[in-house]
């Protein structure tokens, strides 16, 4: 994510997110790193427009990225230009990064869970189960 004028504009898309602690948490932590960070809530219940229109509006408004939460994680991929491998497999996105003219979807849950599992259970044998 490349900020314009040293500022970042990011948001959270989901339903009933008005009480989310994400804006305060992200802005406070970014401030510790000297980043000017504006975090906005884009609540589907309040906006009453399809998620694709919210993503398109965020892109036009100059957002640098979006966090995606319930219940739209599986709806967002259809409105993006590309998916990272971690987002393509589950066809679910929890992070969108706007880079130039592209909106790229990522899923940080799977690699984050895998790293936590590996760190917490370093001696466990790894195996993949097909369903």
């Amino acid at each position: 994510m490349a900020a314009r004028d040293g500022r970042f504009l990011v948001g959270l898309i989901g339903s009933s997110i008005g009480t989310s602690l994400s804006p305060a948490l992200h802005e406070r932590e970014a401030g510790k790193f000297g980043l000017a960070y504006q975090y906005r809530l884009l609540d589907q219940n309040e906006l009453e427009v399809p998620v694709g229109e919210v993503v398109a509006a965020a892109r036009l408004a100059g957002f640098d990225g979006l966090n995606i939460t319930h219940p739209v994680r599986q709806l967002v991929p259809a409105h993006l230009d590309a998916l990272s491998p971690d987002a393509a497999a589950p066809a679910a996105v929890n992070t969108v990064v706007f880079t130039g003219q592209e909106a790229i979807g990522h899923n940080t849950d799977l690699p984050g869970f895998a790293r936590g599992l590996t760190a917490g259970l370093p001696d466990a044998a790894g195996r993949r189960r097909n369903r």
Side-chain angles (χ1 to χ4, degrees), residues 14-29:
S15 291
S16 301
I17 56 174
T19 59
S20 174
L21 300 176
S22 291
L25 178 129
H26 283 256
E27 289 175 354
R28 181 181 63 243
E29 293 303 310

Side-chain angles (χ1 to χ4, degrees), residues 37-105:
Y37 213 73
Q38 295 179 349
Y39 196 103
R40 301 292 176 248
L41 296 179
L42 305 168
D43 194 313
Q44 287 294 110
N45 291 351
E46 293 177 15
L47 297 172
E48 298 180 347
V49 296
V51 69
E53 290 182 28
V54 177
V55 172
R59 183 192 309 223
L60 288 174
F63 276 67
D64 295 293
L66 299 167
N67 292 130
I68 312 297
T69 192
H70 179 77
V72 295
R73 287 182 174 199
Q74 293 176 317
L75 300 175
V76 169
H79 307 285
L80 303 175
D81 301 307
L83 297 178
S84 71
D86 290 329
V93 166
N94 70 352
T95 304
V96 174
V97 177
F98 296 110
T99 58
Q101 297 301 313
E102 285 195 310
I104 302 171

